[in-house]
């Protein structure tokens, strides 16, 4: 993180902050705080300016420097920094400082594969196999997949990476009868959706997906290389082919510090849902 090319304002000295940044107009970094407005809120604005100016990976001046520069208590600076950390704009690296976070990967509403999602953002998608087995369909799974209880299901566990960084874990379950040979097919660094198309001639068409917030257990956090107790998005997706036959049930855990979900809301959907009694 601290290799060459990391821009840091530490090196220029906080007394030069307004002009030395040069990346934002000087007037956006006030010399002194306005005594009629809450100090914390003003510091947050200053920090937001620094986030934009420094860009991802840039290092923030220390709390002490900021406190001296703006004549406030370190606790006030810490509060403002914490607020931007909570908002995902900054992150702290122990013993190294506070840095501007990478922008999050946004999941759009299109039905895409992980590989397509990453490629579109200029990142290289990867898949690290964790395990694969054929299991009998449980009563809970057989309903959604529309197969009989006990029918063979291929259960595929993978870590998904973007530019080698773990982003998500996935447990996909697909009916073996629909995809014979999937239990032995090599899926390392391979798109499952590509394989379904190429090898079995099945195209994903639409999906029902739910997302909820969860707290990562220690073994999940370890796989994703984040701290245990960090929040994650849990997606449960049931994917269908063009004839409406379910082909895949997936539970994924996505890092909440690297991922974001975008939804597009339309008024007419409300009327349709009310009409459908949802
Ligand atoms: C995404 C899907 C997952 C699907 C996978 C296929 C979410 C939450 N999940 O990760 O259901 O199995 O893509 O990706 O988006 P692949 O074709 O790259 O293997």
């Amino acid at each position: 993180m601290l290799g060459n090319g990391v821009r840091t304002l530490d090196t220029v000295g906080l007394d030069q902050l307004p002009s030395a940044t040069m990346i934002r107009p000087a007037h956006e970094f006030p010399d002194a705080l306005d005594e009629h407005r809450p100090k914390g809120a003003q510091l947050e604005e200053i920090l937001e300016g620094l986030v934009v100016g420094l860009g991802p990976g840039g290092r923030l001046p220390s709390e002490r420097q900021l406190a001296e520069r703006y004549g406030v208590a370190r606790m006030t600076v810490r509060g403002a920094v914490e607020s931007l950390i909570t908002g995902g704009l900054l992150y702290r690296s122990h013993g190294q400082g506070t840095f501007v976070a990478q922008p999050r990967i946004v999941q759009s509403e299109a039905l895409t594969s992980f590989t397509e999602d990453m490629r579109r953002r200029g990142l290289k998608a990867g898949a690290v196999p964790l395990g694969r087995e054929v299991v009998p369909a449980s009563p809970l799974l057989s309903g959604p997949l529309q197969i009989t209880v006990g029918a063979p299901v291929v259960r595929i566990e993978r870590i998904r990476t973007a530019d080698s960084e773990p982003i998500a874990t996935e447990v996909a379950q697909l009916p073996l009868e629909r995809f014979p040979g999937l239990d032995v097919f090599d899926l390392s660094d391979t798109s499952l959706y590509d394989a379904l198309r190429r090898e079995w001639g099945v195209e994903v068409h639409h999906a029902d997906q739910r997302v909820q917030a969860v707290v990562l257990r220690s073994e999940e956090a370890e796989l994703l290389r984040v701290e245990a107790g960090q929040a994650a998005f849990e997606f449960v997706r049931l994917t269908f082919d063009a004839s409406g036959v379910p082909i895949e049930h997936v539970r994924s855990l996505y890092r909440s510090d690297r991922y974001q979900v975008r939804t597009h809301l339309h008024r007419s959907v409300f009327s349709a849902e009310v009409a459908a009694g949802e």
Side-chain angles (χ1 to χ4, degrees), residues 24-79:
R24 298 266 292 179
H27 68 268
E28 292 189 36
F29 294 104
D31 283 333
L33 298 187
D34 176 347
E35 59 191 50
H36 302 295
R37 293 183 56 220
K39 292 187 170 110
Q42 292 183 69
L43 274 169
E44 282 184 35
E45 289 164 13
I46 290 167
L47 292 177
E48 283 168 15
L50 284 173
V51 165
V52 174
L54 288 167
R59 187 171 66 187
L60 231 62
S62 69
E63 283 177 10
R64 184 184 52 76
Q65 288 174 305
L66 284 164
E68 279 172 14
R69 170 72 181 79
Y70 288 105
V72 294
R74 276 179 71 167
M75 282 305 286
T76 310
V77 174
R78 186 161 309 160

Side-chain angles (χ1 to χ4, degrees), residues 107 112-115 158 160 170 190-193 209 235 237 248 250 252 254:
Q107 186 192 55
T112 51
S113 69
F114 184 87
T115 306
R158 298 187 295 172
R160 305 311 306 262
E170 264 175 22
T190 300
S191 160
L192 175 65
Y193 286 180
Q209 181 168 282
F235 292 96
R237 182 186 282 191
E248 156 195 76
V250 188
S252 335
Y254 276 72

Side-chain angles (χ1 to χ4, degrees), residues 15 62 144 179 194 257:
D15 51 338
S62 69
F179 303 104
D194 272 357
D257 61 328

